[in-house]
Amino acid sequence: EVQLVQSGAEVKKPGESLKISCKGSGYSFTSYWIGWVRQMPGKGLEWMGIIYPGDSDTRYSPSFQGQVTISADKSISTAYLQWSSLKASDTAMYYCARAPNLYGMDVWGQGTTVTVSS
Amino acid sequence: EIVLTQSPGTLSLSPGERATLSCRASQSVSSSYLAWYQQKPGQAPRLLIYGASSRATGIPDRFSGSGSGTDFTLTISRLEPEDFAVYYCQQYGSSSWTFGQGTKVEIK
């Protein structure tokens, strides 16, 4: 079964750093793009960026460029989303999803809730 | 960046009725790289349609997608109780993908 399993909920203070993860299984991790999507409380979906674990080619939404870092460790089939200095406005649910060429985002992780509060 | 505008914001319908959701792009979507997703409360989004008109694996045939260029439509031929949810379109034909703001299909 193709699965993406995300790391657990996080509660952080403003200014702290954070790295959340997304582990793929049941398919060739290096052959599919992995994307990250933000959903703020009660709001819609926002595409943040995407990485190809095979060669670490990474693309960012202009809205998130410089605000987060997307990376991957193909040796453990895991993609990451990280912040160096969190803000309260980073409070949201974050989803990872597999993105085969031509097919949109076909398999989604369960989501990671990030709460940033002093 | 391509902006996707979905309409209407909310659609109030009864089970058995037909739902027609619109997604308009600010510029042409390359090669019809347009997808539709369904999201229910507390759940991750689910891919319904890719390539503007191809149903994803396991999606019932009451869901259909159409359109090209800048205008796309998701049609649910006869609403089932489990279809009441929020629907998003997404374009993935440019280097920066984007989602529409969503259409909520609610029970009338």
Side-chain angles (χ1 to χ4, degrees):
Chain A
E1 180 193 5
V2 176
Q3 269 191 316
L4 294 173
V5 178
Q6 298 185 230
S7 50
E10 301 276 0
V11 180
K12 292 289 191 178
K13 290 183 168 38
E16 291 187 329
S17 62
L18 176 63
K19 192 173 190 177
I20 63 175
S21 66
C22 169
K23 183 173 176 60
S25 62
Y27 73 99
S28 174
F29 186 74
T30 54
S31 299
Y32 294 81
W33 293 84
I34 292 280
W36 286 95
V37 175
R38 182 174 79 174
Q39 187 165 39
M40 299 177 76
K43 302 299 184 184
L45 305 175
E46 299 174 90
W47 186 79
M48 301 177 72
I50 200 161
I51 188 165
Y52 190 75
D55 61 6
S56 293
D57 184 11
T58 308
R59 300 165 193 185
Y60 293 92
S61 162
S63 300
F64 292 94
Q65 179 85 48
Q67 307 305 307
V68 297
T69 301
I70 293 171
S71 61
D73 184 342
K74 60 186 179 182
S75 70
I76 55 171
S77 301
T78 301
Y80 301 98
L81 177 66
Q82 69 180 90
W83 296 259
S84 58
S85 180
L86 286 160
K87 303 185 279 287
S89 57
D90 293 318
T91 294
M93 177 73 83
Y94 293 88
Y95 292 103
C96 65
R98 189 179 78 161
N101 280 337
L102 311 182
Y103 295 99
M105 304 177 93
D106 69 339
V107 177
W108 291 67
Q110 82 278 18
T112 296
T113 301
V114 174
T115 302
V116 184
S117 175
S118 55
Chain B
E1 187 173 81
I2 297 176
V3 176
L4 299 178
T5 302
Q6 293 187 238
S7 61
T10 302
L11 202 48
S12 298
L13 295 167
S14 301
E17 289 194 293
R18 181 184 187 90
T20 303
L21 288 66
S22 173
C23 176
R24 179 161 290 176
S26 60
Q27 55 189 281
S28 185
V29 175
S30 175
S31 302
S32 294
Y33 288 163
L34 193 287
W36 290 93
Y37 301 85
Q38 177 193 69
Q39 188 179 33
K40 297 179 182 178
Q43 296 185 16
R46 172 191 178 200
L47 177 66
L48 300 175
I49 300 287
Y50 64 90
S53 60
S54 298
R55 271 187 300 278
T57 303
I59 301 303
D61 60 8
R62 64 180 181 273
F63 290 92
S64 63
S66 62
S68 64
T70 60
D71 288 294
F72 298 88
T73 300
L74 174 70
T75 302
I76 310 171
S77 59
R78 286 179 55 87
L79 282 164
E80 297 287 339
E82 62 268 26
D83 299 337
F84 291 92
V86 180
Y87 293 83
Y88 296 93
C89 59
Q90 179 203 34
Q91 66 79 23
Y92 53 101
S94 66
S95 60
S96 181
W97 300 4
T98 48
F99 287 97
Q101 83 279 19
T103 290
K104 182 179 182 180
V105 178
E106 66 176 22
I107 299 176
K108 188 173 181 181

